[in-house]
Amino acid sequence: MSAIAERLGLVHSRIERAAREAGRDPASVRLVAVSKTKTAAEVREAHAAGQRDFGENYVQELLAKAADLADLADLRWHFIGHLQRNKVKQVARTLTLLHTVDSVRLADELGKRVGEAGREPLPVLVEVNVGGEAQKSGCSPDELDAVLAACERQAALRLSGLMTVPPHTDDPAGARPFFDALVRLRDRLGGASRLPELSMGMTHDLEHAVLAGSTWVRVGTAIFGERA
Ligand SMILES: *Cc1c(COP(=O)(O)O)cnc(C)c1O
């Protein structure tokens, strides 16, 4: 078995154990393999091990890998980085799920460009900066209502949920209050019927995210190793 296949297995075990501890069906938690800075060959290796969902943070890197891997027709690309409005057009066709809508203006631009791309509606999550960190992207909890409404106004978008990246804490349990805060926002703004997906949890805190209710964990290091 390849190292990547082995590490993927370990990540699935972690997810499964946390889901069972939470009394959840492990299949309700899905895995985005975060391949930023890693090569197309490494993505191909993860794909061969059964992984289908991959996440990227930068538009040029995503497009280069998508071109290299175009023969893998069932591979799904997620965008998890900050998306600039002037780059929307380039990714409108490629993405399966965009995790990082963070403004009304981005939602409007996406609606227009995805519409022009003539594809099925693009599922989107709204990123919330629950920790209120100045250097992090994501809308503030106060802006969330307006950004959600902006996504729903666009026929080319399908609002699917919320995403967050909590402030870093050395103890992974330190992320839990921020995951819980995202769940409370979801419950206050329409609950799981309006916002079924919660994208939260990374290599070091995924168990806490699954316990809090995550439906998409985004894991890079535990699958592909440390980034340079
Ligand atoms: C890089 C990144 C991840 C993956 O982080 P790891 O700690 O390597 O698992 C997840 N989410 C976002 C938004 C990222 O930028």
Side-chain angles (χ1 to χ4, degrees), residues 145 148 152 184-196:
D145 210 7
L148 294 175
E152 287 174 328
R184 280 198 301 277
L185 284 169
R186 187 269 292 275
D187 291 345
R188 182 144 60 75
L189 293 168
S193 58
R194 185 188 192 195
L195 302 165

Side-chain angles (χ1 to χ4, degrees), residues 34 36 57 80-81 100 127 163-165 201-204 218-223 225 227:
V34 176
K36 64 177 175 223
N57 293 55
I80 63 170
T100 51
E127 181 180 5
M163 178 271 209
T164 198
V165 182
M202 310 180 6
T203 288
H204 94 133
R218 311 176 308 267
V219 178
T221 308
I223 298 169
R227 288 179 293 272

Side-chain angles (χ1 to χ4, degrees), residues 36-209:
K36 64 177 175 223
T37 79
K38 302 297 173 179
T39 63
E42 289 168 294
V43 173
R44 199 175 281 282
E45 197 176 322
H47 180 275
Q51 179 63 28
R52 293 293 177 269
D53 293 278
F54 293 88
E56 289 284 340
N57 293 55
Y58 303 100
V59 168
Q60 293 320 315
E61 190 181 346
L62 164 72
L63 294 173
K65 270 176 230 178
D68 274 353
L69 299 164
D71 56 306
L72 304 178
D74 58 357
L75 189 156
R76 296 182 288 266
W77 289 110
H78 296 239
F79 198 79
I80 63 170
H82 178 66
L83 182 58
Q84 290 171 276
R85 278 179 301 133
N86 63 7
K87 303 258 173 83
V88 164
K89 193 178 171 184
Q90 299 177 62
V91 295
R93 225 178 277 276
T94 310
L95 297 182
T96 293
L97 177 61
L98 171 61
H99 293 233
T100 51
V101 178
D102 61 359
S103 70
V104 171
R105 291 169 78 201
L106 179 58
D108 290 349
E109 179 69 10
L110 280 161
K112 183 171 157 206
R113 298 301 184 186
V114 174
E116 286 169 1
R119 53 163 289 168
E120 75 279 10
L122 173 65
V124 297
L125 311 180
V126 174
E127 181 180 5
V128 189
N129 183 359
V130 283
E133 293 173 283
Q135 77 281 14
K136 280 242 169 85
S137 50
C139 70
S140 72
D142 289 344
E143 296 165 325
L144 178 55
D145 210 7
V147 181
L148 294 175
C151 293
E152 287 174 328
R153 274 198 299 275
Q154 298 297 334
L157 304 182
R158 186 154 59 73
L159 176 65
S160 301
L162 304 178
M163 178 271 209
T164 198
V165 182
H168 179 80
T169 50
D170 288 331
D171 177 4
R176 182 64 190 265
F178 300 99
F179 297 150
D180 289 339
L182 194 73
V183 172
R184 280 198 301 277
L185 284 169
R186 187 269 292 275
D187 291 345
R188 182 144 60 75
L189 293 168
S193 58
R194 185 188 192 195
L195 302 165
E197 306 290 346
L198 292 174
S199 169
M200 51 190 201
M202 310 180 6
T203 288
H204 94 133
D205 56 15
L206 76 85
E207 283 86 357
H208 298 280

